[in-house]
C-alpha cells in the first residue's frame, strides 16, 4: 500500500504494472481508515475487527464496496 | 494462568514496551518483564503470530511488525510521541500517530516518481499535506483480509 503524490501518479504506476484491481483512496479516506483501524491497537482490550465490523467501516468511509467486500 | 490469559498479558507487555519505551520487544524482553520462562513467551508469540496479531520474522516467532509498528527501518518514517518509528506501508504509517493517541508526521516517497511526501497527521484522523497525496491499495481486501 503505497503513497503517491497525486491520483495521476497512482494511475501511472498502476498502468505501468498492468494492474487492474486496485483502489485509490484520498488521503482523508486513508487517514480515517488508519485511525479507525489502529487507534485501539495498544489498548489492553484490543481485538481484531470482525468481518462485519470491517465491512461496516469500509462502507462508512465510502470505499468501493466491491473492492472492499470480505464475504 | 491459561493460554488466553497469558497471551493477553504478553500482548499488554508488548504494547507497553512500544508506548513507554519506543521499542518492539523480543521474546526475551517480555519473559524478563513478566518473570516467566522464555519458552512460555515464545509459545505465546507463536500463537499470536498464527492469529495475525503481528507479523513474525521469517523462521522465528520474534516480531517483525506489530502493525502499525515495524521493528526494522523502512521507506515509511513516522515521527510521533517524541520518537521515530517505521511502518511497512502507507496505511500503517498513517496509523502510528492514532495508535499512540497523538499527532505526528509521515515521511515517505511517491511510489511513482520517488519525490518526497510529507503528511501531518492530526488527532481524530485528520491530515494535511502539501501535495494531493493518495494511497493506492494493490489487492482487493478479501485477498489480504486474513493478515489485516
Amino acid at each position: 500500500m503505497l503513497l503517491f503524490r497525486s491520483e495521476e501518479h497512482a494511475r501511472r504506476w498502476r498502468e505501468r504494472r498492468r494492474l487492474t484491481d486496485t483502489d485509490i483512496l484520498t488521503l482523508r479516506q486513508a487517514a480515517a481508515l488508519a485511525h479507525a483501524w489502529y487507534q485501539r491497537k495498544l489498548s489492553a482490550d484490543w481485538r481484531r475487527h470482525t468481518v462485519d465490523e470491517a465491512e461496516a467501516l469500509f462502507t462508512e468511509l465510502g470505499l468501493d464496496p466491491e473492492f472492499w467486500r470480505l464475504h | 494462568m491459561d493460554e488466553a490469559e497469558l497471551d493477553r498479558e504478553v500482548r499488554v507487555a508488548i504494547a507497553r514496551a512500544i508506548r513507554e519505551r519506543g521499542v518492539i520487544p523480543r521474546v526475551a524482553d517480555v519473559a524478563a518483564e513478566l518473570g516467566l520462562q522464555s519458552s512460555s513467551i515464545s509459545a505465546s508469540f507463536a500463537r499470536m503470530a498464527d492469529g495475525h496479531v503481528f507479523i513474525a520474522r521469517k523462521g522465528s516467532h520474534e516480531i517483525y511488525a506489530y502493525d502499525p509498528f515495524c521493528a526494522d527501518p523502512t521507506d515509511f518514517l513516522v515521527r510521533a510521541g517524541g520518537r521515530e518509528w517505521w511502518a511497512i506501508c502507507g496505511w500503517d504509517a498513517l496509523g502510528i500517530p492514532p495508535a499512540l493517541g497523538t499527532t505526528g508526521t509521515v515521511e515517505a516517497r511517491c511510489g511513482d516518481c520517488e519525490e518526497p511526501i510529507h503528511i501531518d497527521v492530526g488527532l481524530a484522523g485528520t491530515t494535511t499535506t502539501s501535495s494531493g497525496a493518495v494511497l493506492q491499495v494493490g489487492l482487493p481486501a478479501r485477498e489480504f483480509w486474513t493478515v489485516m
Side-chain angles (χ1 to χ4, degrees), chain A residues 33 37 47-60 63 65-71, chain B residues 52 91 141-148:
Chain A
L33 176 61
W37 203 259
R47 60 171 176 75
R48 293 191 72 201
H49 295 78
T50 66
V51 168
D52 288 342
E53 289 168 346
E55 284 193 330
L57 173 63
F58 302 154
T59 299
E60 181 185 328
L63 304 182
E66 178 56 29
F67 186 89
W68 291 90
R69 181 173 57 82
L70 299 176
H71 282 104
Chain B
H52 304 295
W91 179 346
R142 59 187 172 276
E143 294 186 24
F144 62 83
W145 160 248
T146 56
V147 297
M148 287 166 77

Side-chain angles (χ1 to χ4, degrees), chain B:
Chain B
M1 190 183 309
D2 65 23
E3 285 186 352
E5 291 169 335
L6 174 61
D7 292 352
R8 184 179 187 281
E9 288 300 307
V10 170
R11 185 169 52 75
V12 168
I14 293 168
R16 189 163 51 240
I18 293 171
R19 187 187 296 280
E20 296 180 4
R21 293 187 281 120
V23 298
I24 295 179
R26 298 174 57 85
V27 167
D29 301 325
V30 176
E33 181 184 340
L34 298 181
L36 296 171
Q37 292 191 339
S38 286
S39 57
S40 297
I41 304 303
S42 183
S44 176
F45 269 44
R47 287 191 294 275
M48 286 195 279
D50 287 345
H52 304 295
V53 174
F54 64 77
I55 302 170
R57 294 186 183 279
K58 285 184 181 172
S60 160
H61 300 144
E62 299 287 2
I63 301 170
Y64 171 66
Y66 192 81
D67 302 274
F69 305 93
C70 182
D72 294 348
T74 70
D75 293 335
F76 300 89
L77 172 65
V78 180
R79 293 186 176 90
R83 294 190 169 97
E84 292 188 342
W85 312 85
W86 294 288
I88 59 174
C89 68
W91 179 346
D92 281 8
L94 293 167
I96 286 178
L100 294 167
T102 187
T103 60
T105 62
V106 174
E107 305 286 349
R109 289 187 177 275
C110 175
D112 177 51
C113 69
E114 298 190 352
E115 283 293 309
I117 295 174
H118 174 99
I119 300 168
D120 292 315
V121 181
L123 296 173
T126 58
T127 55
T128 54
T129 181
S130 56
S131 72
V134 297
L135 176 79
Q136 183 152 221
V137 180
L139 285 173
R142 59 187 172 276
E143 294 186 24
F144 62 83
W145 160 248
T146 56
V147 297
M148 287 166 77

Side-chain angles (χ1 to χ4, degrees), chain A residues 1-17:
Chain A
M1 299 176 195
L2 297 177
L3 290 163
F4 296 85
R5 293 186 68 198
S6 68
E7 188 167 338
E8 178 190 348
H9 283 250
R11 291 191 187 285
R12 194 161 61 201
W13 180 87
R14 179 169 71 183
E15 287 164 11
R16 241 190 352 258
R17 281 160 180 74

